[in-house]
Amino acid sequence: MIRVNGRERPDPTNVRILLSDYLRHELGLTGTHVGCEHGVCGCCTVLLDGRPVRSCLMLAVQAGRHEVTTIEGLAGEGKLHPIQQAFHECHALQCGFCTPGFVLAVAGLLAKHRKPSDLEIDEGISGNLCRCTGYASIRRAVRRATELSK
Amino acid sequence: MKPPPFEYHAPSTMAEALDLLAKLEDAKVLAGGQSLIPLLNFRLASPAHLVDINGIAELEYVRERDGGVAIGAGARQSDVEDDKTVRRICPLLAEALGQVAHPVIRNRGTVCGSLAHADPAAELPAVLLAAGGEVVARSVRGERRITAQDFFKGVFDSALEADELLVEAWFPATTGPFALVEESRRHGDFALAGAARSGDRLALFGVAPTPVLADPTDPSHGLSPSGDLEATPAFRLHLVEVLVRRAFAS
């Protein structure tokens, strides 16, 4: 069993399945996006015991002892998490492909630094690529998220 | 499925892991997976067995030992980076960890895994060499300590035997000025060239098949770095001069 978004889910059908593919193909949680599949783009970021990790760089079977949170599990049904609200307010997404990864990377950043400095923000999102080049608004959204999270 | 077929083993004790490594043909140790899983995804590696050491609690430690810090094979890079003992005794290691890939990668990657992977352009092997550290390798045959100088053998090649597990890395205390400087095309990428300084000792990375010790007054002496799409050999030699100057100016 693997705990995903607070629910017990069945084990992956094969030990070779990456966590990213398990979430998408076996659980239908397609909010976890798959871009480069070698750890560069950050689109597949999920929280493992509250810390952001690349789901394409883990076997699903390795998540067995842990709690996985995907973008679907970040806020309650029909609600926006403060980070999602901040991205919405600051226009921090264009095509939206990178957004789930950014939001979860920022969740990890804010869990570690409640009021991150500009440098800490840049470092915190440095592992995520946005091909629409929305970085300036994403930075603004991180600052806004710290206000909304109070 | 991206990774090629393998048999998966998840021992929960070190003894079990060592038994598996002694018994299995063509086994690879899976630690943080931040290098190995991409290699599997690209099918550049296709080991018959994966021995996953993530469930071995006894390997998850950072402790003071013999005037330095000992890092267990299960310790994540981000935890080591934030560790108070590491920051106090070996600030060079903490400084270097802040430049390893990205925070999200460091949440999973391990210090010992990075050493065992022996990427010539990686920061941590150079830090171990500059600091004069060593690794502890264990197998069912016993335990041995290998100095950084004897450990790195070539590109992705170390002195570890097939049945050995790198169980611990030991970094001596940082004494005197230290620095970790590097140049890469994009933030968090592997370095085109880099320098680790620990007191008067200097190790370079990205410019030879292994990290190399160098003379701070003539750092590029005897070096013949390779060229690729990102940097010519001459540019790498130029970077060495500039980076070493920076490392010793700070």
Side-chain angles (χ1 to χ4, degrees), chain A residues 13-18 20-21 25 34 36-40 45-46 48 51-54 56-59 61-63 65-66 105 108 112 122-129, chain B residues 1-8 10 30-35 37-38 40-43 50 52 54-55 76 78-79 81-82 98-99 101-108 187 189:
Chain A
T13 51
N14 192 303
V15 291
R16 287 161 58 201
I17 292 177
L18 301 172
S20 48
D21 288 340
H25 301 162
V34 165
C36 71
E37 301 194 76
H38 62 288
V40 172
T45 302
V46 300
L48 189 74
R51 302 210 306 188
V53 299
R54 299 276 197 262
C56 76
L57 296 189
M58 261 188 85
L59 301 170
V61 66
Q62 295 187 282
R65 298 175 290 269
H66 304 280
K112 199 168 161 182
D122 284 358
E123 184 63 22
I125 61 173
S126 65
N128 292 66
L129 299 181
Chain B
M1 253 164 293
K2 280 99 197 176
F6 55 80
E7 205 175 312
Y8 177 74
L30 174 60
Q34 303 301 285
S35 299
I37 304 273
L40 294 172
N41 287 353
F42 282 128
R43 303 206 171 189
L50 280 188
D52 182 351
N54 286 280
R76 309 281 170 198
S78 57
D79 292 328
E81 182 187 352
D82 295 339
Q99 298 185 53
H102 307 285
V104 174
I105 298 287
R106 301 199 289 271
N107 277 343
R108 193 84 192 139
H187 181 75
D189 276 10

Side-chain angles (χ1 to χ4, degrees), chain B residues 19-180:
Chain B
D19 277 341
L20 285 165
L21 289 175
K23 189 178 74 186
L24 300 172
E25 279 287 319
D26 189 23
K28 190 91 189 146
V29 173
L30 174 60
Q34 303 301 285
S35 299
L36 180 54
I37 304 273
L39 289 173
L40 294 172
N41 287 353
F42 282 128
R43 303 206 171 189
L44 293 170
S46 49
H49 300 271
L50 280 188
V51 178
D52 182 351
I53 60 168
N54 286 280
I56 305 178
E58 65 195 293
L59 294 175
E60 289 168 23
Y61 63 85
V62 174
R63 62 172 81 109
E64 206 171 332
R65 169 163 83 71
D66 301 330
V69 281
I71 316 279
R76 309 281 170 198
Q77 289 163 350
S78 57
D79 292 328
V80 178
E81 182 187 352
D82 295 339
D83 189 274
K84 286 197 177 72
T85 308
V86 170
R87 293 196 162 261
R88 177 169 51 86
I89 297 176
C90 194
L92 168 63
L93 177 58
E95 167 79 18
L97 280 164
Q99 298 185 53
V100 174
H102 307 285
V104 174
I105 298 287
R106 301 199 289 271
N107 277 343
R108 193 84 192 139
T110 65
V111 169
C112 291
S114 176
L115 296 173
H117 185 53
D119 190 316
E123 294 85 357
L124 300 182
V127 169
L128 192 76
L129 184 62
E134 59 181 33
V135 302
V136 179
R138 216 177 261 183
S139 69
V140 291
R141 296 175 287 121
E143 181 183 288
R144 61 183 181 127
R145 293 181 182 198
I146 311 167
T147 62
Q149 231 155 332
D150 292 333
F151 184 70
F152 302 105
K153 293 290 185 196
V155 179
F156 303 124
D157 189 21
S158 76
L160 275 186
E161 299 290 340
D163 65 343
E164 283 181 318
L165 179 65
L166 197 172
V167 292
E168 183 181 292
W170 179 76
F171 293 82
T174 307
T175 50
F178 64 90
L180 193 295

Side-chain angles (χ1 to χ4, degrees), chain A residues 108-121:
Chain A
L109 170 68
L110 297 187
K112 199 168 161 182
H113 306 283
R114 286 191 63 189
K115 251 191 109 43
S117 65
D118 287 354
L119 191 71
E120 284 163 346
I121 292 175

